[in-house]
Amino acid sequence: MSPLPVSLPFPDRTVAGHWLAERVRDVIGATPVVIALPRGGVTVGAEVARVLHAPLDVAVVNRISLPDRPDVDLGAVDEDGHVCYDDTALARLRIPRNRLSDVVAEARDKITHSREMYRGARTLPRLTDRDVIVVDDGATTGSTARAALRMVRRHRPARLVLALPVASTEAVERLQEEADRVVALAVPETFHSLDRWYRDFSEVDEGQVAALLAEHRDLGESGDSRYPARFSAGGVELEGELIVPSVVRGTVVMASGHGRLAPHNQAIGTVLRAAGYATLLLDLLTPTEASPEADELAPAVLGERLAAGVRWIRRTPVVASAPIALLGAGQAAPGALDAAARLPGEVGAVVTHGGRVDLAGEALTQVRAPTLVLVQGSDSFVRELAEWTLGRMTGPTAVEIVAGAEQLLHQPEEWRRVGVRAAEWFDRIL
């Protein structure tokens, strides 16, 4: 195994997962399954699953250590209750296994809670005779990854691959004995702590894990077809992904200021496809434009780019004849209205979610497509602003209150509710 040269630190876990998926693609066969280690590993694993179009699930594993030595890994417990001791560490510290009995019992209790939170009454997907990719956001000692690998191995997979953005030399050497293949993008000579290898190493909470699992659990099982999208708009090259369900009632061009990989975009897209709508998820901003230091682009610029996405749809045979709708969120919300004004005969319906829809300005008077504005939170001023905006439009309009940004971040069902409301609007109009 030779590490792929990458730019360290990684921007975040999602980007690391995207790079990792491109590397793993070359070493797996058909019908793979991605098994991630909560919590941070699920963010990486979700992107691996998305790129490989593979179902995602978790291996719930809990590390064990002594209360007076919490920084020393002494092994891990998997969700089947098996204990994977680090006998080398135990021998070095002269700690007998029976001294860990209380710690192991506590770890098993924690695993029971986590397993119910993440999987409920569901069981693991079938792993026997399939290629299984075990994913984490990194490995310092490899204790939890080793426990997960041994748990998966008992299911007799055809091929067992461990995929890590970054790992210590010690961990890689130990884990090569457990997996058929270890893929690591970076194996630094001096490892230090894992958080040093990510610019954004934000904590991942249980709600985010549950949301990612809900949106990626059945990938590859639904019959959806995927097509890369690349086109130019205003001298800028844009990318996206068209996902087409088996039965197509229409196509929704989706964009926000956070890119197509953002969990809420993926969640809403999943709901729309379940309702029969193909989705074109766009990266509306270039990496430079998406940086926190960059100024926001004018709605007219974003509208031009969304309109280019609509034109690309019309040139794509698999969806060329289906009705087209727009869904703009956040920064892209006024851009969706601008695009609808540019293409009055092409855009059949619009939904916006959050954002300053009033910034669409003079374009509002040209919007004839029926438009639903979903306002985040119950702030009366925000609703009044949305109603004033809709009053300038000539087509049918409606405004509704949905959960605010804080609820959307921590309650994945709220993301899906936005998708449901959008699907209901498109059903009614298209």
Side-chain angles (χ1 to χ4, degrees):
M1 181 203 67
S2 58
L4 179 72
V6 295
S7 175
L8 292 176
F10 299 108
D12 56 33
R13 292 183 180 93
T14 299
V15 173
H18 188 85
W19 292 346
L20 191 60
E22 294 300 331
R23 177 69 179 273
V24 170
R25 193 197 298 273
D26 297 332
V27 300
I28 60 165
T31 64
V33 182
V34 177
I35 301 294
L37 276 72
R39 301 178 189 172
V42 176
T43 305
V44 180
E47 181 60 11
V48 173
R50 189 196 68 80
V51 173
L52 300 180
H53 200 41
L56 171 72
D57 216 300
V58 289
V60 185
V61 176
N62 202 294
R63 65 186 288 271
I64 53 177
S65 60
L66 289 173
D68 58 341
R69 299 294 299 273
D71 57 325
V72 179
D73 283 349
L74 300 177
V77 183
D78 67 32
E79 62 179 82
D80 295 332
H82 292 83
V83 185
C84 184
Y85 292 101
D86 187 336
D87 287 316
T88 301
L90 291 174
R92 184 175 65 251
L93 299 172
R94 299 181 181 180
I95 299 173
R97 286 187 175 187
N98 58 17
R99 186 180 165 189
L100 300 176
S101 57
D102 290 343
V103 175
V104 168
E106 182 179 354
R108 285 173 173 153
D109 289 341
K110 290 179 180 178
I111 285 173
T112 299
H113 166 78
S114 297
R115 185 175 55 205
E116 291 175 354
M117 168 69 70
Y118 301 144
R119 197 180 294 128
R122 293 173 62 113
T123 60
L124 274 169
R126 180 181 63 82
L127 305 181
T128 303
D129 297 327
R130 299 178 74 172
D131 284 4
V132 179
I133 309 157
V134 174
V135 178
D136 203 355
D137 56 3
T140 305
T141 67
S143 293
T144 53
R146 183 171 64 162
L149 289 167
R150 290 186 178 182
M151 185 192 87
V152 172
R153 182 71 79 183
R154 290 194 291 273
H155 289 263
R156 302 187 304 279
R159 185 174 175 83
L160 181 55
V161 177
L162 174 64
L164 303 163
V166 61
S168 68
T169 303
E170 172 195 2
V172 170
E173 290 176 352
R174 297 177 66 187
L175 296 170
Q176 282 177 327
E177 300 174 0
E178 307 289 343
D180 299 318
R181 178 74 177 267
V182 175
V183 176
L185 296 181
V187 185
E189 292 183 8
T190 305
F191 188 80
H192 302 297
S193 60
L194 183 57
D195 60 354
R196 291 192 57 177
W197 306 109
Y198 291 87
R199 287 199 290 273
D200 179 359
F201 198 66
S202 303
E203 183 177 355
V204 179
D205 63 31
E206 288 184 333
Q208 290 170 294
V209 171
L212 289 169
L213 289 173
E215 304 313 326
H216 296 77
R217 183 174 279 127
D218 297 321
L219 283 178
E221 313 289 338
S222 63
D224 292 352
S225 300
R226 294 172 177 252
Y227 306 86
R230 294 183 179 86
F231 52 87
S232 297
V236 175
E237 292 295 319
L238 300 177
E239 294 188 357
E241 183 177 42
L242 173 66
I243 309 177
V244 183
S246 55
V247 177
V248 178
R249 305 172 62 192
T251 301
V252 182
V253 180
M254 297 176 54
S256 73
H258 298 286
R260 70 182 189 272
L261 304 182
H264 64 273
N265 285 334
Q266 296 291 321
I268 294 169
T270 298
V271 173
L272 290 173
R273 290 190 294 276
Y277 293 97
T279 58
L280 173 60
L281 281 79
L282 292 178
D283 286 333
L284 209 57
L285 306 178
T286 66
T288 300
E289 294 167 346
S291 68
E293 298 79 17
D295 295 331
E296 286 196 4
L297 296 182
V301 174
L302 300 180
E304 180 182 15
R305 296 179 183 183
L306 278 164
V310 172
R311 296 186 184 101
W312 183 86
I313 288 291
R314 284 295 181 229
R315 299 193 301 269
T316 304
V318 68
V319 288
S321 60
I324 294 179
L326 297 175
L327 195 158
Q331 185 179 347
L337 297 176
D338 184 274
R342 292 169 183 264
L343 301 171
E346 293 286 356
V347 176
V350 180
V351 172
T352 69
H353 174 224
R356 289 280 306 277
V357 289
D358 59 300
L359 295 179
E362 295 303 318
L364 293 170
T365 61
Q366 304 300 315
V367 178
R368 296 181 176 84
T371 299
L372 170 66
V373 174
L374 300 176
V375 177
Q376 290 185 4
S378 55
D379 187 300
S380 59
F381 173 76
V382 174
R383 175 165 186 151
E384 289 170 5
L385 188 62
E387 290 174 340
W388 175 86
T389 300
L390 295 178
R392 301 187 63 195
M393 297 163 58
T394 57
T397 61
V399 60
E400 291 187 17
I401 302 297
V402 295
E406 188 64 24
Q407 291 90 338
L408 285 166
L409 178 62
H410 296 290
Q411 297 184 29
E413 65 273 13
E414 298 294 349
W415 292 337
R416 291 189 286 278
R417 194 166 296 149
V418 170
V420 169
R421 289 302 300 117
E424 289 173 348
W425 183 256
F426 297 146
D427 287 348
R428 173 182 166 188
I429 302 301
L430 299 181

